[in-house]
Amino acid sequence: MENKQFSFPENFLWGGATAACQIEGAYDVDGRGLSTSDIHRYNSKLDRKKYRSKLVENEHTSATLAACVADQDGYYPKRYGNEFYYRYKEDIALMKEMGFNSFRFSISWPRIFPKGDETKPNEKGLEFYDKVIEEVVKAGMEPIVTMFHYDIPLHLLTEYGGFKNPKLIGFMTRYAKVLLDRYADKVKCWIPFNQTNLIQYCSFKSLGILRDKTDNLVEDQYQAIHNQFVINAEIKKYAKALNPEIKIGIMLADCTYYPNTCRPEDIVFTMRRIRRQYFYADVPLRGEYPGHMLRYFKENDIHVNITEEDRELLKNNTLDFLAFSYYYSRTLDSQNNTMDPRTISENPYLKGNAWGWTIDPLGMYNAISQYWDRYQKPIMIAENGFGYEDVFEDGTVHDDYRINYLKQHIQAVGEAIKDGVDVFAYLPWGPIDLVSSGTAEMSKRYGFVYVDLDDFGKGSGDRFKKDSFYWYQKVIATHGEGLCFDNPENPIMIAKEK
Ligand code: BG6
């Protein structure tokens, strides 16, 4: 009985999340510079199941980067996105119609600082976000802004070697201050870095490392992430002096791990992999490096320059909330996997999509609970969703598979709230179909709204409501009460305490 009556808190943030480089397009308009996202070429022969373990982007050198910039033949989908730059009013109106009271989007760094090292921002770029933020606020939504989501200006890679160079601390902090100064009265919730923990998966698009500009990749990755920790703290320090209402969050890509067996070796190995992931939130939320990381650096001859001044800054400027994306869980086998987060094993109990991303709402409940128990800081579900090759017919998509996925995951959030966890937002990924980050496909769709564009950008770009549009609208309108929390087939219910 009690379950039927559950509803989400009145002030809960329901919305959706996007990234500039996957929606905006207009890559060469109004003074925008080129970024890492603009050189992700679409590959129609890509192996969807295997692309994650060998991300070609990470192999980029100065030469391959220049070749992509000069390439006249290939199609680079993130240069065109889903045309949000021209259709933002229509898209925000659709979100409003669904009942969103919040919208997470990112600002494109190369629109504001085209090369990244200028001293003055590009006013034309800022004007675009003046309009977007005004529209979002007018629609009754709280803007949640990511400052950097996989679009480092290319010049910062070729000239400075990316985030491993301490000069980027100054460049990104300057960019962040411009945003805070301009939007502090309208935007209270900021995420400086998208998914900060994927340094092995995304050393190119997250850290800006080119293979010809590093002699020691592992050391450079950890130096780059340290520099990002320092940037977070600098941003927090500036924001709290500007307006104490501003909240700055750290964001992880959740990699919930399960041990393959109850062999103690599997348990300890899994604990270590999870702990390695927590490290990326430990430093910004607790203000210091955990001992196991310092030991790892020492025993592996990894020299990260952490100054006394850095330690003080980190200690005194911890962040306000934890945001994380959750798509699927991973399973680990101590005999076949290593500490490299890209190595995982199959989970025979879970089914997945064409890209091998499994459906596991219990994994999300588990993740939320672990984070809360560890940090006791407010939690934002910054991304969640089910990528699928939708079939568009008669002007719509019957996406019951997406509804089922989202329903179960929202129920997982509900269970955590019932436990007393402060989860304050649920922001499904890509509410209006957008270009995939990992594969640059348009056909890996997450949206409540179908966008008539294919993998080569062909189509009208027009928007069509899917079945999930109306379903999510009802969820929001009823504060989640419209969900069936007592469905006996719901994995969340099956796993109830006995
Ligand atoms: C997250 C990213 O990793 O996952 C998004 O923050 C991304 O940018 C999302 O789009 C889904 O990944 P993909 O590869 O399916 O687009």
Side-chain angles (χ1 to χ4, degrees):
M1 283 307 287
E2 184 219 324
N3 285 321
K4 278 188 185 160
Q5 285 156 11
F6 175 80
S7 62
F8 282 72
E10 285 283 330
N11 61 352
F12 189 77
L13 296 180
W14 297 100
T18 62
C21 62
Q22 293 168 254
I23 59 171
E24 287 181 4
Y27 76 103
D28 54 356
V29 169
D30 292 334
R32 182 188 179 281
L34 287 181
S35 85
T36 48
S37 62
D38 300 314
I39 60 160
H40 189 167
R41 183 177 170 157
Y42 172 64
N43 172 10
S44 58
K45 299 201 176 68
L46 177 113
D47 182 334
R48 284 175 164 174
K49 282 254 160 75
K50 295 208 180 114
Y51 80 95
R52 289 217 110 188
S53 50
K54 8 179 158 143
L55 275 183
V56 280
E57 288 172 79
N58 283 340
E59 305 305 323
H60 269 306
T61 61
S62 306
T64 60
L65 196 140
C68 290
V69 172
D71 181 16
Q72 300 289 322
D73 302 324
Y75 180 64
Y76 295 81
K78 293 176 191 168
R79 296 181 186 176
Y80 309 97
N82 68 9
E83 304 176 354
F84 180 81
Y85 199 78
Y86 305 105
R87 293 177 178 259
Y88 70 91
K89 285 194 179 171
E90 183 186 351
D91 287 353
I92 293 167
L94 283 162
M95 295 180 211
K96 181 179 177 184
E97 194 183 331
M98 268 187 281
F100 283 23
N101 59 7
S102 54
F103 175 36
R104 173 182 171 230
F105 57 96
S106 76
I107 289 183
S108 160
W109 189 356
R111 243 182 236 300
I112 311 303
F113 286 98
K115 288 166 75 184
D117 59 356
E118 299 90 337
T119 49
K120 291 224 162 53
N122 170 28
E123 186 57 29
K124 279 265 166 220
L126 287 164
E127 279 167 17
F128 172 64
Y129 296 105
D130 294 348
K131 290 186 278 179
V132 170
I133 292 172
E134 193 188 317
E135 201 68 19
V136 169
V137 173
K138 210 167 71 191
M141 295 179 218
E142 174 153 356
I144 297 167
V145 176
T146 316
M147 293 174 171
F148 161 54
H149 193 133
Y150 298 154
D151 51 4
I152 315 176
L154 286 188
H155 178 71
L156 296 184
L157 279 69
T158 50
E159 192 63 27
Y160 299 94
F163 274 100
K164 67 178 182 179
N165 186 333
K167 286 206 171 122
L168 264 80
I169 298 176
F171 298 148
M172 172 135 175
T173 306
R174 182 187 295 149
Y175 161 59
K177 286 180 180 173
V178 165
L179 301 186
L180 289 168
D181 286 345
R182 188 130 169 162
Y183 302 120
D185 56 334
K186 299 201 176 74
V187 182
K188 297 286 181 285
C189 206
W190 296 85
I191 299 173
F193 294 95
N194 182 61
Q195 301 188 150
T196 196
N197 56 313
L198 299 185
I199 67 169
Q200 287 85 5
Y201 281 108
C202 306
S203 59
F204 174 68
K205 64 184 179 183
S206 188
L207 306 177
I209 296 177
L210 290 168
R211 281 300 157 100
D212 60 318
K213 297 223 173 250
T214 178
D215 299 326
N216 184 340
L217 181 62
V218 175
E219 189 164 282
D220 284 347
Q221 285 170 334
Y222 283 106
Q223 185 63 57
I225 199 67
H226 175 72
N227 293 344
Q228 293 192 352
F229 290 152
V230 171
I231 294 169
N232 274 322
E234 290 284 8
I235 292 174
K236 171 66 192 171
K237 186 174 160 194
Y238 188 76
K240 73 183 171 198
L242 192 67
N243 180 344
E245 278 178 31
I246 295 175
K247 303 282 178 234
I248 308 288
I250 179 75
M251 181 179 168
L252 298 181
D254 177 70
C255 302
T256 280
Y257 295 118
Y258 297 144
N260 195 34
T261 71
C262 53
R263 287 173 67 238
E265 287 81 356
D266 278 351
I267 306 292
V268 168
F269 174 63
T270 305
M271 177 278 289
R272 286 195 167 131
R273 280 274 296 259
I274 293 177
R275 196 169 64 172
R276 185 66 60 83
Q277 172 191 252
Y278 288 153
F279 151 69
Y280 299 90
D282 284 350
V283 180
L285 294 178
R286 293 168 150 179
E288 58 191 21
Y289 273 69
H292 65 87
M293 280 313 287
L294 297 174
R295 174 181 174 187
Y296 166 70
F297 290 162
K298 201 167 158 200
E299 290 181 357
N300 291 280
D301 221 12
I302 297 169
H303 302 278
V304 181
N305 184 23
I306 308 171
T307 65
E308 252 332 289
E309 204 186 334
D310 294 346
R311 283 185 217 279
E312 274 290 294
L313 185 77
L314 293 170
K315 191 83 206 152
N316 296 326
N317 296 284
T318 52
L319 303 196
D320 304 301
F321 65 91
L322 170 72
F324 71 87
S325 61
Y326 177 86
Y327 291 90
Y328 61 99
S329 59
R330 286 113 166 127
T331 298
L332 294 179
D333 175 342
S334 59
Q335 286 172 320
N336 293 313
N337 301 138
T338 68
M339 285 301 283
D340 184 329
R342 291 166 295 187
T343 65
I344 51 174
S345 296
E346 288 283 310
N347 185 332
Y349 300 101
L350 300 174
K351 291 202 183 81
N353 64 8
W355 293 263
W357 295 27
T358 54
I359 302 171
D360 180 18
L362 279 177
M364 183 151 96
Y365 175 60
N366 184 52
I368 298 174
S369 310
Q370 303 287 352
Y371 290 128
W372 177 251
D373 291 349
R374 189 175 184 92
Y375 301 117
Q376 302 274 302
K377 295 248 187 180
I379 291 177
M380 168 194 290
I381 309 300
E383 293 177 26
N384 176 232
F386 193 59
Y388 205 82
E389 195 159 5
D390 289 339
V391 177
F392 180 66
E393 46 190 11
D394 302 328
T396 189
V397 175
H398 301 300
D399 53 346
D400 53 328
Y401 41 86
R402 183 167 294 113
I403 293 174
N404 286 338
Y405 176 99
L406 294 172
K407 183 194 276 181
Q408 293 183 3
H409 287 75
I410 294 173
Q411 287 171 333
V413 178
E415 287 301 313
I417 291 175
K418 288 194 223 169
D419 288 341
V421 180
D422 181 5
V423 190
F424 67 100
Y426 178 72
L427 309 169
W429 181 247
I432 318 265
D433 288 343
L434 41 64
V435 176
S436 155
S437 174
T439 66
E441 289 166 285
M442 191 67 203
S443 47
K444 189 180 186 190
R445 296 173 186 270
Y446 288 89
F448 303 110
V449 174
Y450 183 87
V451 173
D452 177 27
L453 288 173
D454 70 11
D455 289 334
F456 288 96
K458 300 228 163 42
S460 64
D462 288 347
R463 278 57 175 149
F464 299 87
K465 297 167 192 168
K466 305 180 192 176
D467 288 355
S468 56
F469 180 99
Y470 301 101
W471 173 82
Y472 193 45
Q473 187 180 50
K474 187 171 163 219
V475 169
I476 298 175
T478 59
H479 302 285
E481 241 177 44
L483 292 171
C484 181
F485 270 89
D486 61 349
N487 173 3
E489 281 169 29
N490 172 1
I492 294 291
M493 304 310 292
I494 293 168
K496 270 202 146 335
E497 282 184 23
K498 297 200 172 59

